[in-house]
């Protein structure tokens, strides 16, 4: 990261948020900034003081899935890739459920379940352990109704349609 030449209040506030996010990734879900201060050191520099309360480091004690009928719990656990005993990382949990290329959501989206949702809930927090319940809403499978081609001025539309792998009547698949 480039060194800034000027202290910017908004950048400092964003940095404080990033500090807490980093603690959360390392399992410190209760981390908080107790106080912070910016003190002029000389006419060109400042000293920054940040007092952080890390809290306890948390681990996952158990993961249960509720509402899954299409895929078994074993399949979902393997795709999630987070297991009891792992450090509780909220960012990784959300990525593995929704945004990664091989996330749990893509397993459903690639099989027509575009109304899929996964809601992780902390059902039991005991000392340094958290039990998660991941609530699945699968919804109905969706099929492709129409394929509309816009902005094409170089090829005939039938050539574009011939090359498409997704056709009306097929199950929706994000990957396709």
């Amino acid at each position: 990261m480039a060194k800034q030449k000027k202290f910017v209040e908004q950048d400092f506030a964003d940095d404080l948020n990033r500090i807490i996010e980093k603690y959360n990734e390392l399992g410190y879900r209760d981390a908080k900034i107790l106080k912070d201060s910016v003190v002029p050191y000389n006419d060109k520099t400042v000293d920054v003081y940040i007092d952080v309360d890390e809290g306890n480091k948390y681990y996952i004690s158990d993961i249960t899935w509720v509402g899954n009928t299409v895929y078994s719990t074993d399949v979902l656990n393997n795709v999630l890739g987070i297991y009891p005993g792992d450090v509780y990382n909220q960012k990784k949990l959300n990525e593995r459920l929704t945004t990664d290329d091989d996330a749990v959501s893509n397993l459903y989206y690639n099989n027509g379940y575009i109304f899929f949702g996964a809601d992780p809930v902390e059902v039991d927090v005991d000392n340094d352990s958290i039990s998660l319940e991941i609530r699945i809403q699968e919804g109905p499978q969706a099929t492709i109704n129409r394929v509309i081609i816009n902005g094409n001025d170089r090829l005939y539309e039938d050539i574009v349609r011939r090359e498409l792998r997704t056709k009306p009547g097929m199950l929706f698949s994000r990957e396709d």
Side-chain angles (χ1 to χ4, degrees):
M1 198 157 39
K3 185 176 178 181
Q4 257 182 286
K5 296 181 183 213
K6 184 176 178 183
F7 180 80
V8 179
E9 190 70 35
Q10 183 57 48
D11 290 348
F12 179 62
D14 293 343
D15 288 342
L16 292 177
N17 288 332
R18 281 192 284 276
I19 289 170
I20 296 303
E21 288 171 5
K22 191 61 174 175
Y23 271 103
N24 290 163
E25 288 177 36
L26 298 172
Y28 297 94
R29 84 183 242 290
D30 298 331
K32 60 186 169 219
I33 306 276
L34 298 176
K35 63 183 176 183
D36 61 83
S37 60
V38 179
V39 180
Y41 179 73
N42 58 34
D43 61 337
K44 293 185 178 184
T45 61
V46 295
D47 285 337
V48 176
Y49 298 95
I50 302 170
D51 191 6
V52 177
D53 178 13
E54 295 176 341
N56 293 330
K57 187 171 188 172
Y58 288 87
Y59 299 88
I60 295 174
S61 62
D62 188 36
I63 300 173
T64 56
W65 299 83
V66 176
N68 56 309
T69 60
V70 176
Y71 297 104
S72 70
T73 297
D74 290 339
V75 168
L76 294 175
N77 280 333
N78 287 333
V79 172
L80 184 66
I82 298 173
Y83 303 99
D86 289 355
V87 170
Y88 180 58
N89 180 338
Q90 293 166 317
K91 181 179 178 183
K92 181 180 178 184
L93 176 63
N94 288 330
E95 288 172 350
R96 295 303 306 143
L97 284 173
T98 60
T99 60
D100 285 350
D101 288 339
D102 59 344
V104 171
S105 63
N106 283 342
L107 189 65
Y108 280 92
Y109 291 151
N110 289 334
N111 198 14
Y113 291 94
I114 62 173
F115 305 107
F116 163 82
D119 185 26
V121 178
E122 298 174 3
V123 291
D124 187 26
V125 179
D126 185 31
N127 293 325
D128 67 346
S129 299
I130 296 176
S131 291
L132 291 175
E133 181 176 275
I134 302 175
R135 299 174 183 167
I136 301 290
Q137 302 85 38
E138 294 171 338
Q141 283 180 302
T143 56
I144 297 170
N145 185 33
R146 291 185 294 165
V147 177
I148 300 170
I149 300 168
N150 288 325
N152 176 36
D153 57 358
R154 296 187 187 250
L155 297 173
Y156 293 111
E157 188 172 319
D158 60 330
I159 294 172
V160 175
R161 286 191 182 280
R162 182 182 70 206
E163 297 300 320
L164 286 176
R165 292 189 302 166
T166 56
K167 310 266 187 228
M170 291 176 63
L171 275 180
F172 173 83
S173 170
R174 176 184 276 174
E175 187 176 73
D176 289 348

